[in-house]
Amino acid sequence: MYTTLHEIFIARDIMREIMSQWSVYRVSLSNPSFDILLEATRKVAERIGGEVAFNYEVRGFGGRREVCPIAIKLPGKYGNGVGIRVVDEDSSSKIEVVGDTWGMPVTVEEVGAMIVEKYVSIVMIKSLEAMGFHILDVKEDPDGVEVEAAK
């Protein structure tokens, strides 16, 4: 069992170097907006040096292939990027991020977490504007997003 965050990151980096696998990162969002998901994906792609593609065939080890409505193209050993799609299950929607990220600078889980973070910050800013607030400043850093707003 890993006891510190540092040990977890070391284990993750070791596995990234020695193993290829198809990964799926899944998160529930209530009625996700495709437009906001696309905006969040564009911001993440820019941050990690990827390129957004549409109806893109994401490939992985062993010939695995899945067509996704949105993807971030990234070069890897077996994969060619990560795919993003919305899946409806049990009367709720989930965003899935899929791919084989061996040899890429990020994992599927990291891309998924960044997309969720960007998605939530975009929704928060749009909600504040809808309530009549003026956005004065937005500061983004690895720890999150800080929004300064006034009425």
Side-chain angles (χ1 to χ4, degrees):
M1 183 78 173
Y2 302 112
T3 56
T4 67
L5 193 56
H6 180 69
E7 289 173 331
I8 292 170
F9 286 136
I10 289 171
R12 179 205 64 195
D13 291 342
I14 290 169
M15 293 308 289
R16 188 185 290 168
E17 293 299 318
I18 63 170
M19 187 174 173
S20 173
Q21 69 178 18
W22 189 264
S23 298
V24 177
Y25 177 89
R26 189 180 273 192
V27 64
S28 295
L29 285 176
S30 181
N31 301 317
S33 160
F34 184 84
D35 292 336
I36 295 173
L37 180 59
L38 179 57
E39 185 178 345
T41 301
R42 283 190 170 128
K43 289 182 179 208
V44 170
E46 182 180 314
R47 180 175 170 188
I48 63 175
E51 179 186 341
V52 174
F54 299 96
N55 297 317
Y56 187 68
E57 184 179 69
V58 178
R59 296 187 310 268
F61 180 76
R64 178 124 187 211
R65 299 168 183 271
E66 290 191 27
V67 176
C68 295
I70 307 173
I72 299 174
K73 297 192 317 188
L74 289 166
K77 183 156 177 118
Y78 293 107
N80 62 343
V82 294
I84 298 105
R85 61 184 172 216
V86 176
V87 179
D88 292 322
E89 283 183 356
D90 306 323
S91 70
S92 70
S93 295
K94 295 180 182 0
I95 292 176
E96 284 187 344
V97 180
V98 299
D100 182 344
T101 54
W102 190 25
M104 293 182 194
V106 291
T107 65
V108 165
E109 293 80 8
E110 289 167 332
V111 172
M114 285 188 270
I115 288 172
V116 169
E117 178 185 301
K118 295 294 181 200
Y119 187 96
V120 170
S121 69
I122 293 165
V123 168
M124 180 180 67
I125 289 167
K126 289 183 182 296
S127 296
L128 286 168
E129 290 172 335
M131 292 186 297
F133 285 88
H134 300 283
I135 306 302
L136 303 174
D137 192 24
V138 178
K139 294 179 187 168
E140 296 186 34
D141 62 40
D143 294 326
V145 177
E146 181 181 319
V147 177
E148 184 180 347
K151 234 180 187 204

